[in-house]
Amino acid sequence: MNAWLTGARNLALAAMSLTLFAGCATQMLAALYGYAPHFGEPVAYWYGHPLLDPWRFLSWGLAFLPNRPWIAVLTLVITGAFVLAAFGVLVIAS
């Protein structure tokens, strides 16, 4: 495989894995809080469950920063875990 093709494949794989991990975190946090209305409108429904934007948990962390700083720290920890997990996916795929 050419070097640029391998790089493009790895970039696409990293983007897909980061989006998948972010979507899982968003859905888990929304489910934990009972899909509260202040989280925003879902983009779709899947078997009756609302699906929110994958990266929405980042805006939730920033919105809660003045009142609950530990949620913002948790958001940063989750984001760091996603980056490490995506790197692990790239290492395994290479």
Side-chain angles (χ1 to χ4, degrees):
M1 226 189 249
N2 293 339
W4 69 270
L5 191 56
T6 302
R9 180 198 61 158
N10 288 346
L11 183 64
L13 186 62
M16 286 187 295
S17 62
L18 280 173
T19 302
L20 178 69
F21 296 145
C24 290
T26 298
Q27 290 305 119
M28 288 183 351
L29 288 172
L32 181 67
Y33 289 108
Y35 295 101
H38 65 273
F39 285 155
E41 289 293 317
V43 293
Y45 288 91
W46 187 58
Y47 292 106
H49 296 283
L51 296 177
L52 301 168
D53 293 330
W55 295 98
R56 188 166 294 180
F57 79 97
L58 292 173
S59 64
W60 297 340
L62 293 175
F64 286 128
L65 183 61
N67 300 332
R68 298 182 183 116
W70 62 271
I71 293 180
V73 172
L74 177 65
T75 301
L76 291 175
V77 169
I78 289 172
T79 305
F82 292 157
V83 171
L84 290 176
F87 180 73
V89 167
L90 285 177
V91 168
I92 291 171
S94 294

